[in-house]
Amino acid sequence: MTLILAVNWEAISAMGQIVGALAVVISLIYLAREIRSNARSARIASLHDVNRWLGELVEHPHLAELYYRGIQDFRSLKSGDLVRFSALMDQAFYIFRELYFQQLDGHLDPRLWGPTEAAMRDINAYPGVQAWWLLAALGRCPRGSFGCRSSLAVS
């Protein structure tokens, strides 16, 4: 009779190990799906930021006019306009930086990166953006401009 009890305990122990192993596999599958979902959410959030930034320019004609003046002739901007344009550029380059890092990590669809990089290069070609960039690179951004040095990661 003791031999039968010993066999049953071994069988129960083996079953417990099998159940435990299945639980670990299921947990790993769940974790992988959550990580993929989080990466997808980050992509969507970054693209939403681009659309929101462009939407601000469309919804507020004074911002669009300021953006146009700034990209053409940054040095002509004075006081509040200088700060607002710098904030617009900080925001734009922060968004580009996030998209760039997502692309490097393989989280951004390559079909989206091409047009994004082209837009970034187009913006960088404007003389006002180049003048702003030099000012930001030297750390002499106008007071109130958010994170000038932090936006320099994209070049």
Side-chain angles (χ1 to χ4, degrees), residues 86-148:
S86 291
L88 274 174
M89 290 295 94
D90 285 340
Q91 203 175 32
F93 279 87
Y94 175 80
I95 293 167
F96 285 142
R97 182 181 68 183
E98 289 300 311
L99 289 168
Y100 173 75
F101 285 128
Q102 285 187 22
Q103 178 265 338
L104 278 183
D105 293 340
H107 297 303
L108 186 67
D109 187 331
R111 295 172 296 180
L112 296 175
W113 175 244
T116 300
E117 185 179 23
M120 200 168 49
R121 290 184 188 282
D122 287 346
I123 289 173
N124 284 338
Y126 284 103
V129 175
Q130 291 174 8
W132 169 82
W133 186 269
L134 289 175
L135 186 69
L138 294 173
R140 297 179 303 183
C141 286
R143 271 193 173 315
S145 184
F146 174 75
C148 293

Side-chain angles (χ1 to χ4, degrees), residues 56-108:
E56 290 293 318
L57 292 178
V58 171
E59 289 177 28
H60 303 286
H62 63 280
L63 277 180
E65 189 270 332
L66 171 65
Y67 173 73
Y68 182 76
R69 279 191 301 126
I71 63 173
Q72 298 300 325
D73 186 12
F74 175 71
R75 297 188 196 297
S76 72
L77 300 177
K78 303 293 181 228
S79 61
D81 283 347
L82 186 63
V83 173
R84 280 187 287 282
F85 180 76
S86 291
L88 274 174
M89 290 295 94
D90 285 340
Q91 203 175 32
F93 279 87
Y94 175 80
I95 293 167
F96 285 142
R97 182 181 68 183
E98 289 300 311
L99 289 168
Y100 173 75
F101 285 128
Q102 285 187 22
Q103 178 265 338
L104 278 183
D105 293 340
H107 297 303
L108 186 67

